[in-house]
């Protein structure tokens, strides 16, 4: 949508006018919790974190050797980008002590058929330094390319004369690409407005190309910010400000909207009883977009409501769309008003009180959301853009009936207002951002590349061999070592009883690992490293077991990394068995691709791991995710940790074994169909068997255990709010339904929708130990 900004002389208030919706295209995609202070100042943020006061800004300018004013060139190509740039231009002009503004006008601003909209800029009292005629007429693909070439020929001379410190470029138009290319090659800093968004057309490629050329970025939504970070842009040079046009939209109030409706729609039209249509060609599929426009007009004619139609923009295919309008007699149809320009103050009232907005302009999915007006978005031109609930998408608008049905569904509704694209404070943030730019910093861009997870080598051994890990699981009873492939396949496994003493245990680990590493050669497996899963508290950074569980004796302050790495000449990773189970789920199980989830191991003890924002949580002293020791009763049974009422004291295998022995000693365990040999040790298995055969006391014990586990899960939901809970271990299948029941009864409504599943991994401890190696050993930097 194009805006025209003016200063009312009698009140010094800013207002604008809309020239036909040209529509920028875009949409957006989150970053981690360590948010840079500059980026915390985002849309809706309650605090401005950049500068405490104006004097600090002045000190910053002096520090930069920037006693002179910052010379800024704003280049505007069309009415659409001027609507976003004008608020910034007014802000720059209002602070002459900091900035000098040069305005360059090019593109469709200077074409008579499109209204000579450079006059809007003059009427807004901006001095235009240069006018560049850069559009090659033809409105086809070749003309767009030739226009870029013509702009590239003319711009260097202008930039050489102006010598700006910063060029501000908006959006994703082909004209903007020429601007960014010229400035980048002439070593001029570029500030790009609305980068990081995604729409679904060729504009995405242009927008992202400008992003790569730009030195600084102002984005509108957090998803756009995250996309920029994913594209390796420097975090410190990204500002989440919101859309500048929202500074006007959210402050615009006008009571006398009826006169505006009568002026543009008709004398007899009521609010919510008319339609605004804004549709443009899709340059990657011109024929289809023309056909879609024809179907849209047919549907609007059939719908028989008064409609304001704005002419299409200058993109390839626009001439053909105008021919369709004239072929159908839209300009003379009694239900239609076809216009090229509506003043902004009036336009926003028209869309704010419309029964529906239809088309494929960015205006519909961005600006109209500020009013909650229902929108029908046709085709793919805006398909990737973030939208509010007021937008109904008709992706395959290939029949008149589909569009007509969408009109019946949307027309006359009212939705909540959306602030996805701004909170009305974008311009002040942008001005502060500009003042923070240090011209003494090197011009050369720096990209923040993430760690490389897959190192695909061309070494013949890597091609022929299977990249694998040695996985070690130190359990309370058994010591297991396995060769695990990159796909999570256990190629070979070795099992021995876990020795009781430290010396015997270390010796056996080394022996089994060396045996497995030797066998890996015969199995055509290249061992990348060793991953160790063990009970207790672990410092994974140093590879040291800090404190073990009582199930593994003589296993505290143990350095596992050094002796194993020295013996095998391989990197070694060590972590807690619960954390390893969570890592296994993240790489091979239900947690694959899930942003935040919790894994609970229900075995001899109760353990677990937490994945938050795709990363494992260790805690400040490596004590995070000791989920078995969540207290659910102050007067519960004693736990091995010394406390009372822990989940582990109720629901672990040891706890169930204790209760089974009590029943057996009282002759209350065995029921018909059960028998226990004299030498056989009573275990949790017998309690479960008795419950299945109808033993009410055994069933009651299991229900109490399941309830305790469920209460622990509810506490986790209220603390971490994960989207998934995975129950792992031999007892998981017995507890899952009880846990779900407790969540339904006890959890807050917003947390009760969590998905609870049983792990489908046969060996989560070994797979988790292997994932330590497979996730980290192939990174170039870690």
């Amino acid at each position: 949508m194009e805006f025209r900004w003016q200063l009312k002389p009698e009140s010094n208030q800013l207002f604008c006018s809309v020239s036909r919706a040209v529509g920028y295209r875009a949409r957006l995609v989150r970053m981690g919790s360590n948010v840079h202070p500059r980026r915390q100042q985002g849309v809706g943020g309650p605090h401005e974190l950049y500068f405490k006061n104006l004097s600090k800004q002045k000190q910053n300018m002096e520090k930069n050797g920037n006693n002179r004013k910052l010379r800024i060139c704003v280049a505007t190509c069309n009415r659409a980008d001027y609507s976003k740039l004008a608020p910034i231009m007014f802000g720059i002009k209002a602070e002459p002590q900091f900035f000098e503004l040069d305005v360059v006008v090019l593109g469709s601003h200077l074409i008579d058929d499109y209204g000579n909209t450079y006059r809007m800029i003059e009427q807004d009292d901006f001095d235009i330094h240069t006018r560049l005629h850069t559009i090659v007429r033809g409105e086809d693909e070749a003309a767009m390319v030739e226009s870029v070439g013509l702009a590239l020929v003319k711009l260097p001379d202008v930039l050489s004369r102006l010598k700006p410190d910063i060029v501000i470029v908006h959006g994703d138009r082909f004209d903007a690409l020429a601007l960014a290319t010229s400035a980048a090659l002439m070593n001029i800093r570029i500030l790009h407005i609305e980068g990081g968004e995604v729409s679904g057309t060729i504009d995405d490629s242009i927008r992202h190309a400008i992003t790569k050329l730009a030195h600084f970025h102002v984005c509108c939504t957090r998803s756009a910010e995250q996309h920029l970070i994913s594209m390796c842009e420097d975090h410190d040079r990204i500002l989440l400000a919101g859309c500048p046009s929202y500074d006007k939209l959210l402050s615009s109030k006008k009571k006398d909207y009826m006169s505006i409706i009568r002026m543009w729609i008709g004398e007899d039209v009521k609010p919510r009883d008319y339609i605004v249509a804004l549709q443009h060609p899709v340059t990657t599929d011109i024929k289809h977009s023309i056909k879609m426009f024809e179907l849209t007009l047919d549907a609007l004619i059939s719908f028989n409501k008064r409609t304001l139609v704005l002419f299409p923009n200058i993109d390839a295919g626009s001439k053909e769309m105008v021919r369709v309008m004239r072929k159908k007699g839209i300009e003379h149809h009694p239900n239609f008003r076809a216009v090229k320009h509506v003043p902004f103050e009036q336009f926003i009232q028209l869309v704010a009180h419309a029964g529906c907005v239809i088309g494929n302009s960015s205006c519909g999915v961005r600006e109209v959301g500020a009013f909650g007006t229902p929108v029908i978005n046709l085709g793919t031109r805006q398909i990737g853009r973030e939208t509010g609930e007021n937008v109904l998408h008709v992706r395959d608008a290939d029949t008149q009936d589909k569009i007509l049905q969408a009109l019946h569904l949307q027309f006359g509704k009212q939705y909540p207002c959306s602030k996805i694209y701004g909170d009305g404070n974008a311009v002040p943030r942008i001005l502060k951002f500009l003042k923070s730019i240090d011209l003494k910093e090197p011009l050369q861009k720096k990209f923040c590349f993430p760690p490389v997870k897959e190192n695909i080598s061309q070494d013949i051994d890597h091609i022929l061999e299977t990249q694998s890990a040695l996985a070690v699981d130190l359990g309370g009873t058994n010591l297991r070592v396995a060769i695990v492939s990159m796909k999570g396949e256990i190629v070979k496994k070795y099992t021995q009883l876990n020795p009781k003493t430290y010396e015997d245990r270390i010796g056996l680990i080394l022996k089994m690992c060396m045996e497995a590493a030797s066998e890996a050669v015969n199995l055509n497996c290249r061992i990348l490293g060793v991953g160790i899963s063990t009970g207790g508290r672990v410092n994974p950074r140093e590879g040291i077991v800090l404190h073990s569980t009582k199930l593994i004796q003589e296993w505290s302050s143990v350095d596992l990394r050094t002796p194993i790495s020295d013996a095998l000449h391989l990197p070694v990773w060590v972590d807690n068995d619960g954390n390893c189970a969570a890592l296994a789920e993240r790489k091979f199980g239900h947690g694959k691709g899930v942003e935040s989830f919790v894994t609970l191991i229900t075995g001899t003890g109760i353990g677990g791991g937490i994945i938050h924002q795709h990363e494992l949580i260790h805690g400040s002293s490596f004590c995070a995710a000791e989920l078995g020791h969540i207290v659910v009763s102050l007067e519960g049974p004693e736990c091995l940790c010394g406390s009372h009422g822990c989940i582990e004291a109720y629901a672990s295998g040891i706890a169930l074994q204790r209760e089974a022995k009590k029943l057996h000693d009282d002759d209350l365990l065995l029921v018909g169909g059960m028998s226990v040999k004299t030498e056989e040790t009573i275990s949790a298995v017998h309690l479960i068997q008795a419950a299945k055969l109808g033993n009410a006391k055994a069933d009651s014990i299991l229900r109490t255990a399941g309830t305790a586990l469920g209460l622990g899960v509810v506490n986790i939901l209220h603390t971490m709010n994960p989207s998934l809970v995975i129950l792992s271990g031999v007892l998981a299948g017995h507890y899952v339904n009880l846990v779900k029941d407790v969540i339904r009864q006890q959890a807050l409504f917003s947390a009760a929708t969590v998905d609870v599943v049983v792990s489908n991994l046969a060996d989560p401890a070994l797979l988790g130990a292997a994932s330590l190696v497979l996730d980290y050993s192939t990174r170039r930097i870690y």
Side-chain angles (χ1 to χ4, degrees):
M1 185 167 59
E2 301 86 19
F3 305 121
R4 175 177 170 194
W5 297 79
Q6 297 182 2
L7 195 64
K8 288 183 178 178
E10 67 276 11
S11 62
N12 282 335
Q13 291 180 343
L14 195 62
F15 77 100
C16 329
S17 60
V18 151
S19 219
R20 166 172 71 79
V22 170
Y24 144 87
R25 9 287 193 212
R27 182 206 91 165
L28 331 215
V29 157
R30 189 219 108 225
M31 70 169 288
S33 58
N34 296 325
V35 183
H36 185 276
R38 184 172 289 156
R39 289 181 287 112
Q40 283 181 326
Q41 179 54 46
V43 176
H47 306 294
E48 304 236 345
L49 301 177
Y50 311 111
F51 301 93
K52 293 183 179 179
N53 50 49
L54 189 59
S55 63
K56 187 170 181 179
Q57 294 167 359
K58 292 180 179 177
Q59 290 170 11
N60 193 35
M61 292 179 70
E62 292 173 0
K63 174 187 172 183
N64 297 339
N66 211 13
N67 293 320
R68 64 179 178 83
K69 299 175 184 179
L70 195 67
R71 188 157 193 173
I72 298 176
C73 173
V74 177
T76 172
C77 309
N78 52 61
R79 293 165 289 190
D81 71 27
Y82 184 63
S83 69
K84 314 298 173 61
L85 294 172
I88 303 171
M89 292 161 65
F90 273 105
I92 292 170
K93 188 177 179 181
E95 298 196 28
Q97 70 273 31
F98 292 113
F99 305 112
E100 287 185 13
L101 176 64
D102 290 313
V103 180
V104 175
V105 173
L106 63 158
S108 60
H109 273 307
L110 302 168
I111 298 178
D112 184 64
D113 287 353
Y114 291 88
N116 282 325
T117 49
Y118 73 88
R119 294 195 183 101
M120 295 189 310
I121 304 170
E122 292 178 331
Q123 290 167 7
D124 286 345
D125 200 27
F126 289 113
D127 294 327
I128 298 175
H129 181 276
T130 304
R131 295 176 177 84
L132 289 180
H133 292 272
T134 58
I135 295 297
V136 176
R137 299 305 302 272
E139 283 77 19
D140 60 11
E141 297 95 329
M144 291 166 65
V145 177
E146 291 168 352
S147 297
V148 172
L150 185 57
L152 287 171
V153 170
K154 293 186 174 185
L155 280 167
D157 178 61
V158 175
L159 296 176
S160 294
R161 284 188 283 107
L162 289 177
K163 292 183 172 55
D165 298 312
I166 297 169
V167 171
I168 297 181
V169 178
H170 170 270
D172 49 26
R173 303 287 298 167
F174 57 86
D175 328 65
L177 179 60
L179 275 165
T181 303
S182 301
L185 292 175
M186 295 182 70
N187 290 325
I188 300 170
R189 289 170 172 82
I190 302 167
L191 176 69
H192 185 207
I193 308 292
E194 292 188 9
E197 302 192 11
V198 179
S199 54
T201 66
I202 188 63
D203 300 329
D204 280 344
S205 299
I206 296 175
R207 186 185 311 110
H208 301 332
I210 296 173
T211 290
K212 292 295 99 182
L213 293 169
H215 303 83
F216 303 95
H217 312 274
V218 172
C219 54
C220 297
T221 72
R222 192 161 295 281
S223 293
E225 176 195 39
Q226 292 153 11
H227 287 158
L228 290 172
I229 293 168
S230 299
M231 292 163 67
C232 307
E233 293 301 312
D234 188 345
H235 301 189
D236 293 340
R237 296 192 171 197
I238 301 171
L239 171 68
L240 174 54
C243 182
S245 65
Y246 263 62
D247 288 20
K248 183 61 182 175
L249 289 172
L250 296 178
S251 64
S252 177
K253 300 290 181 183
K254 191 174 182 71
K255 296 180 180 179
D256 186 23
Y257 57 84
M258 281 307 303
S259 63
I260 297 171
I261 294 173
R262 293 190 191 101
M263 180 193 308
W264 291 98
I265 312 295
E267 291 290 334
D268 55 342
V269 178
K270 297 178 181 178
R272 309 287 174 204
D273 198 35
Y274 62 90
I275 298 169
V276 177
L278 307 90
Q279 198 154 332
H280 307 299
V282 178
T283 56
T284 50
D285 194 352
I286 294 173
K287 289 184 179 179
H288 176 70
S289 63
I290 294 167
K291 178 64 176 176
M292 185 172 65
F293 185 51
E294 187 173 1
L295 294 171
T296 302
L297 294 178
D298 288 338
L300 288 169
I301 292 170
S302 298
F303 196 65
N304 198 30
K305 288 289 182 182
R306 198 67 61 82
T307 303
L308 178 71
V309 180
L310 279 82
F311 276 64
N313 64 17
I314 198 172
D315 283 346
S318 60
K319 278 188 175 180
E320 288 83 352
M321 292 182 72
V322 172
R323 289 192 190 106
V324 169
M325 289 176 62
R326 287 172 178 160
K327 177 182 175 182
K328 294 187 177 294
I330 295 301
E331 292 172 286
H332 305 289
H333 195 288
N335 266 355
F336 289 84
R337 300 288 186 273
V339 299
K340 293 182 178 180
H341 169 78
V342 180
F344 177 64
E345 286 282 349
Q346 298 174 20
F347 182 83
I348 61 176
Q349 297 303 323
L350 289 173
V351 296
H353 297 93
C356 181
V357 174
I358 186 171
N360 63 1
S361 169
S362 62
C363 163
V365 295
R366 288 175 64 101
E367 282 82 2
V368 177
F371 309 111
T373 301
V375 173
I376 299 170
N377 180 48
L378 301 174
T380 60
R381 189 169 182 264
Q382 308 295 341
I383 206 63
R385 194 186 295 278
E386 285 184 278
T387 64
E389 60 180 289
N390 64 312
V391 179
L392 174 65
H393 295 283
V394 184
R395 290 173 174 83
D396 298 317
D398 51 2
T399 66
Q400 177 184 335
D401 185 60
K402 282 184 185 178
I403 301 171
L404 197 56
Q405 289 295 326
L407 284 165
H408 284 293
L409 286 172
Q410 285 286 80
F411 186 78
K413 289 186 178 179
Q414 182 62 39
Y415 292 90
C417 298
S418 168
K419 293 187 179 181
I420 293 174
Y421 288 96
D423 64 351
N425 296 295
V427 173
R429 295 181 182 124
I430 294 170
L431 295 181
K432 290 180 180 179
F433 190 55
L434 285 168
K435 293 170 189 174
S436 74
I437 293 174
D438 185 353
L439 298 179
K440 287 187 175 181
E441 288 184 357
L443 182 68
Q444 178 60 50
K445 284 188 66 170
K446 291 182 180 179
F447 298 104
C448 300
F449 294 104
V452 178
K453 293 188 177 181
E454 298 293 339
N455 179 14
I456 302 173
S457 172
Q458 291 305 306
D459 187 297
I460 188 65
D461 290 336
H462 282 260
I463 295 171
L464 297 178
E465 293 180 334
T466 303
Q467 293 189 344
S468 306
L470 276 188
V472 179
D473 175 31
L474 278 156
T477 304
N478 293 320
L479 172 58
R480 300 183 300 157
V481 175
I483 302 169
V484 181
S485 73
M486 188 69 76
K487 294 182 179 180
E489 174 192 359
I490 296 179
V491 180
K492 190 161 185 178
K493 182 164 62 175
Y494 307 82
T495 305
Q496 296 279 354
L497 288 175
N498 197 347
K500 300 297 182 183
T501 66
Y502 164 79
E503 290 81 5
D504 291 343
R505 192 175 296 125
I506 285 289
L508 183 58
I509 292 172
L510 290 172
K511 178 184 175 183
M512 293 175 70
C513 284
M514 293 178 74
E515 181 182 344
S518 177
E519 180 65 15
V521 177
N522 300 326
L523 295 171
N524 202 36
C525 294
R526 177 179 287 263
I527 301 300
L528 302 174
V530 181
I532 302 175
S533 167
T534 180
R537 190 161 65 94
V538 176
N539 179 345
R541 298 172 189 167
E542 305 295 334
I544 295 174
V545 180
L546 300 175
H547 304 291
S548 183
T549 65
K550 292 184 178 180
L551 299 175
I552 307 177
Q553 300 172 3
E554 296 187 25
W555 208 238
S556 296
S557 300
V558 175
D559 180 2
L560 285 177
R561 176 176 294 168
T562 302
I564 296 174
S565 181
D566 288 348
L568 297 178
H569 305 291
L570 288 169
V572 176
W573 287 267
V574 186
D575 213 328
N576 168 270
D577 52 3
N579 289 336
C580 286
L583 292 174
E585 295 293 343
R586 184 182 72 176
K587 189 168 184 66
F588 303 114
H590 291 301
K592 193 170 185 178
V594 179
E595 182 181 53
S596 298
F597 69 90
V598 173
T599 298
L600 269 164
I601 305 173
T602 57
T604 306
I606 300 289
I610 298 170
I611 301 292
H612 180 61
Q613 296 180 350
H614 300 292
E615 295 296 332
L616 183 67
I617 301 298
H618 283 103
S620 61
S621 59
F622 315 109
C623 198
E626 288 292 345
L627 306 180
H629 300 292
I630 295 175
V631 176
V632 294
S633 173
L634 296 177
E635 299 178 355
E638 185 178 1
C639 180
L640 287 175
C641 71
S643 184
H644 287 78
C646 298
I647 298 174
E648 190 169 292
Y650 284 102
S652 66
I654 289 178
L656 296 183
Q657 182 183 38
R658 180 191 65 226
E659 297 301 318
K661 284 182 178 179
K662 287 181 182 178
L663 289 181
H664 185 63
D665 292 343
D666 295 337
D667 292 328
L668 298 174
L669 177 65
L670 302 182
V671 294
M674 281 186 69
S675 62
V676 178
K677 296 178 182 179
T678 305
E679 68 279 6
E680 190 174 354
T681 302
I682 298 298
S683 67
V685 174
H686 297 100
L687 187 73
I688 294 169
Q689 184 183 7
K692 287 182 177 179
L693 292 173
N695 186 324
K697 291 188 177 296
D699 183 68
S700 176
I701 292 169
L702 284 175
R703 287 188 170 277
T704 300
T707 300
L709 185 65
L711 290 173
V713 171
V714 169
N715 287 332
I716 296 168
L717 298 182
H718 292 168
T719 305
M720 295 296 301
N721 193 25
S723 60
L724 176 66
V725 174
I726 303 171
L727 300 183
S728 180
V730 293
L731 299 172
H734 301 290
Y735 286 143
V736 62
N737 289 328
L738 289 169
V739 169
K740 289 180 179 179
D741 288 341
V742 174
I743 291 173
R744 280 193 293 268
Q745 296 165 13
Q746 300 289 336
L748 294 174
F749 177 77
S750 56
T753 57
V754 68
D755 197 11
V756 182
V757 298
V758 176
S759 173
N760 58 4
L761 299 180
D763 238 323
L766 282 174
L767 291 177
S771 72
L772 286 170
V773 178
L774 301 176
D775 276 348
Y776 296 106
S777 65
T778 52
R779 291 184 180 180
R780 298 181 193 274
I781 300 172
Y782 49 87

